[in-house]
Amino acid sequence: MRVAVCGLGRMGSAFAAALVGDGHEVAVWNRTPARVDGARTAATPGDAAREAQAVVIVVFDGRAAEEVLFGGAGVAPGAAPGTLVVNATTLSPDESRALARRAASAGLRYLEAPVLGSVPAVRRGALHVLTGGAQEDAADAEPVLRAWSHAGRRQHVGPVGSASALKLVANLALGTTVAALHDAVRLGRALDLDREDVLDVLQNGVCGPLVARKRERLSQGDYGDADFTLAALAKDLALAASAADAPLVMAEAAGALIARAAEHDGHLDVAAMGQA
Amino acid sequence: MRVAVCGLGRMGSAFAAALVGDGHEVAVWNRTPARVDGARTAATPGDAAREAQAVVIVVFDGRAAEEVLFGGAGVAPGAAPGTLVVNATTLSPDESRALARRAASAGLRYLEAPVLGSVPAVRRGALHVLTGGAQEDAADAEPVLRAWSHAGRRQHVGPVGSASALKLVANLALGTTVAALHDAVRLGRALDLDREDVLDVLQNGVCGPLVARKRERLSQGDYGDADFTLAALAKDLALAASAADAPLVMAEAAGALIARAAEHDGHLDVAAMGQA
C-alpha cells in the first residue's frame, strides 16, 4: 500500500519504520528535516500525500493536525479524492469531529486512531489502537494499523470523537497518576524514607504499572529521550479538564502541576515528575 | 502463643481468625460487641491483654489506638510488664512515635506494623507487613505476623515511625488513584462513552491494579461490605497531607473529594468514588 506519514516525532518515526518493515511504499514529512530509512522524504504534507492511499498524521495537537491537513501545502490540496486520513494525534472529541467535517468537505475520508502505549509497543506490534469513524474506513485502515498493532489490540469505539474521548480518559488517568507519583515521592522524602523503599511500595501498589514502566528512569534520575513528554501530557490534561461537564479536580490539579514542570523543560519524560 | 486482638473490624476479625487458625490462644476485644470463633471475648482491652504475650491493635486512628492502649480499662493497666504491643493501625509517624514513647514509660514494648492489602490477602497469608521499631521486637512478633503474612511479605523498615511513613506513602497513592478513577469515569460519562469501555481502558492502564481489584464492585455498582472504607481513606489522606513539609496538591485535592463523599456514607468501600 502507498502510505504517507506526517509527523516524525518518536511515534511517527516508529510508525513509518514499521510500515517500511511491512513492505509498504512509504513517504514521510516532518516540520523540521527528518528522514526514515526506506521511506521517501517529502518536502510538504501535500507532497507526501500525493499518490498515497492512506495518510497517517501523528503530531503534537489539534492545531498542528489542522495545519498539516488544511494548510497551503497540506494534505487536502495534495491528496487524491477519497484518500483515507488516519489521525493518530491525541485530540479532544470536538477537535476531531471538526477535522472530520472539514476533511469530508475536501473529499477525504477521516478515521481517528489515537493509540495507548509508546514506542516499545509499536516495535513489538502490540500497540493498543482505538478507532473512531466509519466501520468501512477502519477496515480499510487495517493494513496500516496492523504494522503497529495486532488484531486483538484494535478497538473500534464508535463514530468520530468516541476514540478521542476514550483516549482522553486514559490520558487523564496517566496524568493524575504521574502527579500522584510526584506527591508520593515528595512525601517519602519529607519523611526521610529511602527512595528505593518508596518506589518499591508504589510499584507493588495501585499505580504499579506506571512505576514499573518508569522504574529505570526513576532510580537513575534519567528523564531524557522521552517516551512521552511533560508538554504533551500537560496538553492532554487541559483537553480532559475542558471536555467534562463538571469540574474534574484531580485532572485540574495534575494539569497545573505538570504544566508548571513543563514550563521548565517540556521535553523531559513524564517520569520527571517523580524526581524528589 | 497467647495473643490479644483489640479491634474487630474487618481486618481485626481476619487477624484474630488467622491467629486462632495457627493454634494461638486468642483473646479479643471490640468497642461494640463482637466475637471470633475459637477466641475468648474480653470485656475491656485490659482484660484482653491480661496474660497475653502480644497485643495486636488494629483500630480506626491514632486517637482510638491511644484510648485502647492508655484508657482507664486499657492495655497498659492490664498487661504484664514487657508485653509486646503490635500496632497495625495506620498512623502518622508522629502519632506512632508518641504512642511508642508512652508505651515504653508504661513498661511495654512497642512495634508498629501497618499492612498493605486487605482481608483476602490476610486469608491467603499474603499480606504485606511493614514493621518499625526494634529489630528484636520485630523478631519476637514473628509468630504473630506469620499468621497473615509469609516471610517474603514482611519488611522491617527502620525505627518506630518509618513503617507508618511508608504506609502513608502507599495510602497517598491509593487515595489519589481512587480520586483519579472518580474523575476518569466522570469524564467518560460526560463524553457519552460506554462505562465498560472506560473501565477496560483504565484497567489496562497505569492505575490498572485498583480497577482490577474493584472491577466487580464498579461493574455491579456494589459498594457495601467494604474492604476499605471512604472514611478511613479520607483520614489517611489528611494524615499524608499534614505530614509533608510542602503542599501535596494531589493528596489535598483527593482528600477533599473523598472526605466529601465520606460525609454522605463513610462506610462505603473506596470503590464508590468510581460511581458515575
Side-chain angles (χ1 to χ4, degrees):
Chain A
M1 199 162 161
R2 293 186 305 277
V3 188
V5 176
C6 294
L8 294 176
R10 280 172 64 86
M11 288 302 269
S13 298
F15 283 174
L19 289 165
V20 169
D22 270 12
H24 296 290
E25 197 176 310
V26 181
V28 296
W29 169 84
N30 196 54
R31 190 165 48 90
T32 56
R35 59 182 304 286
V36 170
D37 283 346
R40 172 172 75 85
T41 304
T44 64
D47 176 30
R50 206 175 320 279
E51 301 185 5
Q53 295 159 287
V55 177
V56 176
I57 298 176
V58 50
V59 291
F60 185 73
D61 61 8
R63 183 183 299 236
E66 187 185 4
E67 177 64 24
V68 164
L69 274 167
F70 306 114
V75 168
T83 300
L84 178 61
V85 172
V86 178
N87 194 349
T89 307
T90 298
L91 305 166
S92 78
D94 285 346
E95 287 175 326
S96 195
R97 283 189 283 259
L99 291 177
R101 278 193 297 272
R102 211 164 148 192
S105 300
L108 303 173
R109 293 186 291 151
Y110 181 93
L111 184 76
E112 59 179 6
V115 301
L116 308 174
S118 190
V119 171
V122 180
R123 296 207 183 107
R124 291 197 313 274
L127 206 61
H128 193 106
V129 178
L130 307 171
T131 54
Q135 291 269 11
E136 187 197 336
D137 292 342
D140 287 351
E142 203 267 332
V144 170
L145 299 180
R146 75 170 168 231
W148 52 83
S149 70
H150 55 74
R153 292 285 190 162
R154 291 198 292 276
Q155 180 183 355
H156 191 68
V157 184
V160 170
S162 61
S164 291
L166 201 50
K167 170 71 191 265
L168 276 197
V169 169
N171 279 16
L172 182 161
L174 175 62
T176 46
T177 305
V178 162
L181 169 67
H182 174 86
D183 270 16
V185 297
R186 292 287 164 123
L187 178 61
R189 193 188 55 181
L191 296 176
D192 285 324
L193 289 167
D194 178 85
R195 179 168 165 89
E196 292 299 311
D197 279 353
V198 167
L199 294 174
D200 282 347
V201 156
L202 295 173
Q203 189 165 344
N204 287 324
V206 289
C207 55
L210 174 70
V211 180
R213 200 185 301 162
K214 302 296 186 185
R215 185 62 185 263
E216 205 177 317
R217 290 181 181 277
L218 291 165
S219 288
Q220 299 182 359
D222 172 14
Y223 307 109
D225 195 18
D227 296 310
F228 190 41
T229 65
L230 290 172
L233 184 55
K235 183 262 293 182
D236 292 352
L237 283 166
L239 290 181
S242 67
D245 52 2
L248 300 177
V249 300
M250 299 300 286
E252 286 168 18
L257 202 62
I258 294 168
R260 204 157 57 236
E263 278 168 25
H264 283 88
D265 187 351
H267 291 90
L268 293 182
D269 188 79
V270 298
M273 295 303 292
Q275 285 176 294
Chain B
M1 197 161 163
R2 295 185 304 278
V3 188
V5 176
C6 294
L8 294 176
R10 281 173 62 86
M11 287 302 270
S13 298
F15 283 174
L19 289 165
V20 169
D22 271 13
H24 296 289
E25 197 177 309
V26 181
V28 296
W29 170 85
N30 197 53
R31 189 166 49 89
T32 56
R35 58 181 304 283
V36 170
D37 281 347
R40 171 173 75 86
T41 303
T44 63
D47 177 29
R50 208 176 320 281
E51 300 186 3
Q53 295 158 288
V55 178
V56 176
I57 298 176
V58 51
V59 291
F60 185 73
D61 61 8
R63 185 183 299 237
E66 187 184 5
E67 178 64 25
V68 165
L69 273 167
F70 306 113
V75 169
T83 300
L84 177 62
V85 171
V86 178
N87 195 349
T89 308
T90 298
L91 305 166
S92 77
D94 283 347
E95 287 176 326
S96 195
R97 282 188 284 258
L99 291 177
R101 278 193 298 271
R102 211 164 148 191
S105 300
L108 302 173
R109 292 187 291 151
Y110 181 93
L111 183 75
E112 59 178 5
V115 302
L116 307 175
S118 189
V119 171
V122 179
R123 296 206 182 109
R124 291 197 312 276
L127 207 60
H128 194 108
V129 178
L130 307 171
T131 54
Q135 290 270 10
E136 186 197 336
D137 292 342
D140 287 352
E142 204 268 333
V144 170
L145 299 179
R146 77 170 165 231
W148 52 83
S149 71
H150 55 75
R153 292 283 192 165
R154 291 198 294 276
Q155 180 184 356
H156 191 68
V157 184
V160 170
S162 61
S164 291
L166 200 52
K167 170 73 191 263
L168 276 197
V169 169
N171 278 17
L172 181 162
L174 175 62
T176 47
T177 304
V178 163
L181 169 68
H182 174 86
D183 270 16
V185 298
R186 293 286 164 125
L187 178 61
R189 193 188 55 179
L191 296 176
D192 286 323
L193 289 168
D194 179 84
R195 180 169 164 87
E196 291 299 310
D197 279 352
V198 166
L199 294 175
D200 281 347
V201 156
L202 295 173
Q203 190 165 344
N204 287 323
V206 289
C207 55
L210 174 71
V211 179
R213 200 186 300 161
K214 303 296 185 185
R215 184 62 185 263
E216 205 176 317
R217 291 180 180 277
L218 290 165
S219 288
Q220 299 181 359
D222 172 14
Y223 308 110
D225 194 19
D227 297 309
F228 189 43
T229 66
L230 290 172
L233 184 54
K235 182 262 296 182
D236 291 353
L237 282 166
L239 289 181
S242 67
D245 52 4
L248 300 178
V249 300
M250 299 299 287
E252 285 168 18
L257 202 64
I258 294 168
R260 203 156 60 235
E263 277 169 26
H264 284 90
D265 187 351
H267 291 90
L268 293 182
D269 188 79
V270 296
M273 295 303 292
Q275 285 176 294

